[in-house]
Amino acid sequence: AGTEKINTDIITLTRWLTEEQRKHKEATGDFTLLCHALQFSFKSIAYYIRRASLINLSGLAGSSNTTGDDQKKLDVIGNDLFVAAMKSSGMVRVLVSEEVEEAIVFEENPNSRYAVVCDPIDGSSNLDAGVSVGTIFGVFLLAEGSKGSKEDLLHPGTELVAAGFTMYGASAQLVMTMRGGTVNGFTMDNALGEFILTHPNMDMPKKRSIYSTNEGNSKYWAEPVKEWCESMKQAEKPYSARYIGSMVADAYRTLLYGGIFAYPADKKSPKGKLRILYECAPMAMVFENAGGQAVNSHMRRMMEVVPEHIHDRSGIFMGSYDEVQKVIDIHKKHG
Ligand code: AHG
Ligand code: MN
Ligand code: MN
Ligand code: MN
């Protein structure tokens, strides 16, 4: 066989960001610098995640967060790594993290215009089992003269300028998108210490018979949700069930293979479980820009849902366009 063609024109995330910036004449370069800080936070979180069991970083921190989750040691470490990277970037005015009750305003960065929302470690209940977890992030541009108060953050996903996630799986996979842009996937090459563009312009399948939801909650589900789930199980060719219990891992599979991910609001959690600002909205933006769709439990476009407070929750159905449409149509039938 001929010599395998070696790719010598490697597109690292750093190069990709430079090329993106060049497309915007008026760009100041601030967003690029912010993305370099985001990139470093993913690299450093990945490093500690992969060593957790070796350096006694698994298990509980002995504390809980605002939304009542027991915090794992890695939840706290991941949060601290992320906060340090955002603060030292000089680009972030205010940061919302799942692990911190109040919005963190960086007085050191009085003139920076970006607000960042993040879930430092998503799926942390799975950490000790070695299951893939991830970091979810979203970036807002603050209005002129904003002081970065938490009210400045109660915006719908349509106002996100960028969003994405990094899944710490067999390799670290970064998926990110900009408002009105495409979805691009980067794979960490540990030897180079660089994220490499491996999945340009991700376009998800319009349909796929895979559903991903915690059916252990089904006794609490509303009737239309029960009907939706049953319709897939009774289909001519029944759907496959795939549920990892880490939103980032379930989302990454759904993005690549197609299908639908759902965490419905139900009688037990009337507002749903997943948090709007740093789980539902960033994921919705990725799925919409990849050709899919995302709605809440009232079948409203997830990107238009405005959180009432920074840790506000919502039900969510997201995935292949036609698969989410099925949920919407069943809810319409129920009126
Ligand atoms: P986090 O670990 O950031 O608190 O998020 C956990 C979320 C999400 O990752 C996942 O989809 C969901 O919790 C799983 O919830 P259940 O265990 O109730 O299915
Ligand atoms: Mn949590
Ligand atoms: Mn989460
Ligand atoms: Mn989390």
Side-chain angles (χ1 to χ4, degrees):
T3 50
E4 173 204 351
K5 171 121 181 53
I6 301 287
N7 170 22
T8 52
D9 188 19
I10 300 170
I11 302 181
T12 62
L13 174 61
T14 302
R15 169 177 155 184
W16 184 83
L17 289 168
T18 305
E19 290 169 355
E20 277 303 298
Q21 181 182 326
R22 278 207 201 101
K23 293 177 187 170
H24 305 275
K25 305 242 180 327
E26 73 294 343
T28 60
D30 284 357
F31 181 73
T32 300
L33 289 175
L34 169 57
C35 288
H36 288 326
L38 285 166
Q39 176 176 202
F40 181 72
S41 60
F42 304 142
K43 289 182 180 179
S44 53
I45 291 172
Y47 174 77
Y48 283 105
I49 292 251
R50 299 191 188 300
R51 297 177 53 75
S53 319
L54 300 168
I55 51 176
N56 184 29
L57 264 188
S58 44
L60 290 171
S63 49
S64 64
N65 66 16
T66 323
T67 51
D69 292 0
D70 288 336
Q71 285 176 313
K72 297 283 186 149
K73 287 179 197 159
L74 278 167
D75 275 322
V76 177
I77 298 265
N79 178 68
D80 295 352
L81 287 166
F82 200 90
V83 170
M86 294 302 103
K87 180 175 176 176
S88 58
S89 74
M91 296 296 123
V92 181
R93 185 82 176 86
V94 57
L95 171 61
V96 167
S97 163
E98 177 200 334
E99 305 307 336
V100 181
E101 176 158 9
E102 294 300 327
I104 305 167
V105 178
F106 294 125
E107 297 307 347
E108 306 81 350
N109 307 333
N111 307 314
S112 42
R113 303 268 318 281
Y114 289 107
V116 174
V117 294
C118 81
D119 177 356
I121 308 282
D122 171 75
S124 57
S125 62
N126 289 302
L127 265 172
D128 300 349
V131 173
S132 299
V133 296
T135 300
I136 310 171
F137 68 94
V139 181
F140 288 104
L141 187 59
L142 289 168
E144 283 287 343
S146 131
K147 294 274 171 293
S149 69
K150 65 178 158 189
E151 286 64 35
D152 288 324
L153 284 151
L154 301 179
H155 293 303
T158 44
E159 294 189 25
L160 283 164
V161 293
F165 59 84
T166 296
M167 182 183 77
Y168 309 108
S171 38
Q173 305 284 158
L174 164 62
V175 171
M176 74 180 287
T177 191
M178 325 274 202
R179 185 189 301 160
T182 58
V183 177
N184 291 281
F186 301 81
T187 304
M188 170 57 79
D189 178 328
N190 286 311
L192 289 176
E194 297 275 10
F195 278 104
I196 308 294
L197 179 65
T198 47
H199 298 71
N201 306 321
M202 296 176 86
D203 192 13
M204 65 184 307
K206 267 185 84 59
K207 58 165 68 112
R208 182 71 192 272
S209 306
I210 300 174
Y211 73 103
S212 182
T213 191
N214 185 347
E215 287 192 66
N217 297 325
S218 57
K219 96 181 226 188
Y220 306 112
W221 285 349
E223 277 315 306
V225 179
K226 287 179 181 169
E227 184 179 322
W228 160 68
C229 195
E230 212 41 40
S231 71
M232 296 183 295
K233 294 159 84 169
Q234 302 309 328
E236 182 65 26
K237 198 176 163 315
Y239 279 48
S240 236
R242 289 283 182 277
Y243 192 66
I244 301 167
S246 271
M247 187 189 202
V248 165
D250 282 318
Y252 190 64
R253 183 205 55 252
T254 306
L255 199 56
L256 287 169
Y257 294 1
I260 182 165
F261 170 85
Y263 207 109
D266 59 25
K267 292 190 194 83
K268 190 175 62 167
S269 325
K271 293 276 288 181
K273 170 175 184 177
L274 300 176
R275 284 58 55 116
I276 297 171
L277 264 184
Y278 44 79
E279 289 172 315
C280 299
M283 283 295 183
M285 184 173 178
V286 167
F287 274 81
E288 284 201 2
N289 286 358
Q293 58 175 329
V295 295
N296 69 2
S297 275
H298 304 291
M299 300 299 115
R300 273 211 62 197
R301 187 183 169 217
M302 192 70 233
M303 292 284 277
E304 290 171 358
V305 174
V306 182
E308 287 156 19
H309 55 83
I310 56 175
H311 296 292
D312 200 2
R313 300 168 188 266
S314 170
I316 185 165
F317 297 81
M318 65 186 197
S320 295
Y321 194 91
D322 293 358
E323 303 300 340
V324 177
Q325 197 54 46
K326 279 189 184 132
V327 184
I328 296 168
D329 295 346
I330 290 176
H331 277 74
K332 270 191 195 129
K333 218 181 56 180
H334 281 250

